[in-house]
Amino acid sequence: MIQKLGIEQSKVVEMCFELYKYYGTTMAGLRAIGYQFDYDDYHGFVHGRLPYELLKPDPVLRNLLLSLPIRKIILTNSDKGHTSKVLERLGLDDCFDGIICFETLNPTHESNVSQRGEFQPTYSCYVWRQIAFTILMLLVLFFDDSVRNLTTASRMGLQTVLVGKSERPKGVDYVLESIHNIKEAFPELLEAEEKSEDRRYSQEIAIETSVEA
């Protein structure tokens, strides 16, 4: 903000907090109040300074995610490059069925002309998510460490899980101290595979019966 946009250093900290508070992200806030910049340049400058080397592989989480017989989708404010780097460093790059990131919600041809980009927790962001997957929201279990994102998701009809806390705040369905405790907290997720197998077996029996008749 100081180097690229010429904002006074003494105002940066408070400005970042206020923009995040009212617009969801600093980037969205900067665009909303009139600052013009290239999204890719912004992401490259901000994320390029992050200490990715501090992230270590999480084999426990990796095995846990791979063992869950359900679709797992990432929804993030970040750009694809940053998201991919984080997943790779954690050893989770092949654990998800899809990623909805900044580029997904802001196509390339609009990236430099939009007045604001779409970010969590904007309403239209979740509407897009509904359309993209054409599924019933009641079947979605939404994990996040932000109460703000979760309350928005809850208003949209998703079942919400706050990660990293021990007390459940208002507007959130469940709370999980550690993401590693998914199986213990939601054993029904493991039943999805058994139910799927039962349905396939029932369909095979029905087909065989109809042929014999």
Side-chain angles (χ1 to χ4, degrees), residues 63-78:
N63 292 332
L64 174 60
L65 291 171
L66 292 176
S67 70
L68 294 176
I70 56 176
R71 284 179 58 80
K72 296 170 285 290
I73 308 295
I74 292 177
L75 174 60
T76 176
N77 291 325
S78 300

Side-chain angles (χ1 to χ4, degrees), residues 83-101:
T83 305
S84 297
K85 285 183 180 179
V86 171
L87 289 174
E88 184 177 357
R89 295 290 302 183
L90 293 174
L92 308 177
D93 46 315
D94 60 344
C95 293
F96 295 90
D97 299 288
I99 299 174
I100 298 179
C101 56

Side-chain angles (χ1 to χ4, degrees), residues 2-194:
I2 300 171
Q3 299 180 30
K4 297 288 185 176
L5 301 179
I7 298 174
E8 294 182 23
Q9 185 173 356
S10 60
K11 298 180 179 179
V12 169
V13 175
E14 181 180 359
M15 188 175 185
C16 285
F17 175 78
E18 292 298 323
L19 292 177
Y20 171 79
K21 180 179 178 181
Y22 290 104
Y23 297 99
T25 69
T26 301
M27 175 191 278
L30 288 170
R31 291 301 293 260
I33 63 177
Y35 285 95
Q36 298 298 315
F37 50 86
D38 180 81
Y39 288 141
D40 292 335
D41 184 47
Y42 183 96
H43 285 136
F45 185 79
V46 174
H47 295 153
R49 302 156 66 91
L50 295 178
Y52 290 104
E53 66 276 5
L54 297 180
L55 295 176
K56 305 300 181 184
D58 190 338
V60 174
L61 181 56
R62 173 181 171 77
N63 292 332
L64 174 60
L65 291 171
L66 292 176
S67 70
L68 294 176
I70 56 176
R71 284 179 58 80
K72 296 170 285 290
I73 308 295
I74 292 177
L75 174 60
T76 176
N77 291 325
S78 300
D79 63 301
K80 185 176 181 180
H82 171 68
T83 305
S84 297
K85 285 183 180 179
V86 171
L87 289 174
E88 184 177 357
R89 295 290 302 183
L90 293 174
L92 308 177
D93 46 315
D94 60 344
C95 293
F96 295 90
D97 299 288
I99 299 174
I100 298 179
C101 56
F102 179 82
E103 288 88 346
T104 313
L105 300 171
N106 298 273
T108 303
H109 68 280
E110 296 177 355
S111 63
N112 293 321
V113 298
S114 173
Q115 291 298 311
R116 188 177 168 209
E118 295 296 345
F119 301 85
Q120 291 175 299
T122 61
Y123 181 88
S124 57
C125 177
Y126 290 102
V127 171
W128 191 96
R129 188 169 189 265
Q130 283 181 286
I131 297 173
F133 292 98
T134 60
I135 57 177
L136 296 175
M137 302 306 284
L138 293 177
L139 299 179
V140 175
L141 196 57
F142 186 83
F143 293 81
D144 205 311
D145 59 359
S146 166
V147 175
R148 179 175 183 171
N149 289 345
L150 291 170
T151 52
T152 301
S154 182
R155 289 196 297 270
M156 296 297 297
L158 282 74
Q159 294 290 300
T160 55
V161 185
L162 176 62
V163 180
K165 302 293 182 181
S166 58
E167 296 185 4
R168 183 174 65 85
K170 182 179 180 181
V172 174
D173 298 303
Y174 307 99
V175 64
L176 198 60
E177 287 193 61
S178 171
I179 194 67
H180 292 155
N181 298 332
I182 293 179
K183 285 187 176 181
E184 292 77 9
F186 304 101
E188 61 271 22
L189 295 181
L190 297 176
E191 299 173 3
E193 185 173 24
E194 296 179 4

